[in-house]
Each structure stands twice: as structure tokens, then as C-alpha cells.
């Protein structure tokens, strides 16, 4: 166990690892210290540093399983965001139901009740549209 720890923590390995970590991601991805050979396997130019940068490069690759999980999370998030649209529909129904009840109780306030109902409709519809906008942002912008 001690021999493994001593091998894994050599000064050259620590220096090479820290050099890879403070470089920007773009330079780590674009400037690969490897040369392609005819065998299809890369031959690294510098021993330990090349293997560490190769490990650092592999961390940024996305597998198909990870993409599937991200896609599923997008669909679940968009579905959860559209629940607010149903609340908007219920709010609009409540606003106009209250308009009818108010008009039945006092027909002389028809114009004032209708202006309040339109205001309530607009606010409720705006909340539904905001929820729909968030759902589309989750699906297509991320």
C-alpha cells in the first residue's frame, strides 16, 4: 500500500498534474500532446504529462448514456413546467365564473365587473404563458 502511494505521488506526477489543471479548458482540448500512429493508437510525446492530460481530456467527453439522461431530464423538467398552464386555465375559469355570479347579483355593475374580469383574465393568461415559455426554454435553449 505504501509503495502504491509513493508511486502515485511522485514530484513529476504532481507537477504535470498541476500544470494540466491550471490550463484553460480550450487549450486542454485543442492542444493535445499526442501524435497519431498507423496503429490507430496515439503515441504520447511526454510520458507522465501526456497520460495526465489524456485523462483530463477524457473527463470532458460525453457518453451516449449521459446524453440520454440529460435528454430525459429536459423532458421531465419541461413537463413539470407546463403544469402551470393547467393552473392558468383553472384561473381563467374562476375569473369568468365569478363574473357571471357578480353580474347575476348586481346587473347594474356590468361594465365595472367586466373590466375587472378582463384584468384577471390577462394576469392569469400571462402566468400560463410564462410557464409555457420556461418549458420551451428548458427544451430548446439548454
Amino acid at each position: 500500500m505504501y509503495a502504491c502511494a509513493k508511486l502515485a505521488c511522485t514530484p513529476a506526477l504532481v507537477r504535470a498534474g498541476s500544470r494540466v489543471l491550471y490550463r484553460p479548458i480550450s487549450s486542454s482540448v485543442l492542444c493535445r500532446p499526442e501524435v497519431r500512429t498507423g496503429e490507430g493508437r496515439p503515441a504520447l510525446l511526454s510520458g507522465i504529462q501526456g497520460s495526465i492530460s489524456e485523462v483530463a481530456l477524457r473527463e470532458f467527453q460525453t457518453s451516449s448514456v449521459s446524453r440520454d439522461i440529460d435528454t430525459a431530464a429536459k423532458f421531465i423538467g419541461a413537463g413539470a413546467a407546463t403544469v402551470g398552464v393547467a393552473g392558468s386555465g383553472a384561473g381563467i375559469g374562476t375569473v369568468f365564473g365569478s363574473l357571471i355570479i357578480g353580474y347575476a347579483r348586481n346587473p347594474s355593475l356590468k361594465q365595472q365587473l367586466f373590466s375587472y374580469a378582463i384584468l384577471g383574465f390577462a394576469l392569469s393568461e400571462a402566468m400560463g404563458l410564462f410557464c409555457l415559455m420556461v418549458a420551451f426554454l428548458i427544451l430548446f435553449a439548454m
Side-chain angles (χ1 to χ4, degrees):
M1 185 82 154
Y2 175 72
C4 264
K6 188 175 180 182
L7 178 66
C9 295
T10 60
L13 183 64
V14 171
R15 268 185 270 122
S18 63
R19 197 174 306 129
V20 168
L21 291 177
Y22 72 79
R23 289 175 50 190
I25 294 174
S26 59
S27 66
S28 297
V29 173
L30 297 177
C31 301
R32 294 184 178 181
E34 56 189 37
V35 176
R36 299 284 176 188
T37 61
E39 303 168 359
R41 295 174 62 190
L44 299 174
L45 293 176
S46 58
I48 295 172
Q49 181 183 2
S51 63
I52 289 177
S53 63
E54 185 176 335
V55 170
L57 289 175
R58 289 183 187 217
E59 291 176 7
F60 295 106
Q61 294 176 353
T62 307
S63 67
S64 63
V65 174
S66 177
R67 279 183 294 197
D68 291 343
I69 291 172
D70 290 345
T71 304
K74 279 184 182 182
F75 288 143
I76 291 170
T82 56
V83 171
V85 177
S88 172
I92 291 169
T94 303
V95 164
F96 284 109
S98 298
L99 171 69
I100 291 171
I101 291 171
Y103 181 67
R105 288 187 180 185
N106 194 353
S108 65
L109 294 176
K110 177 182 179 183
Q111 188 62 36
Q112 187 178 4
L113 289 175
F114 187 72
S115 64
Y116 288 152
I118 293 298
L119 179 64
F121 165 76
L123 293 175
S124 183
E125 186 69 21
M127 289 298 117
L129 290 176
F130 287 146
C131 293
L132 196 62
M133 179 189 66
V134 167
F136 282 132
L137 283 174
I138 289 171
L139 280 178
F140 300 113
M142 294 182 176

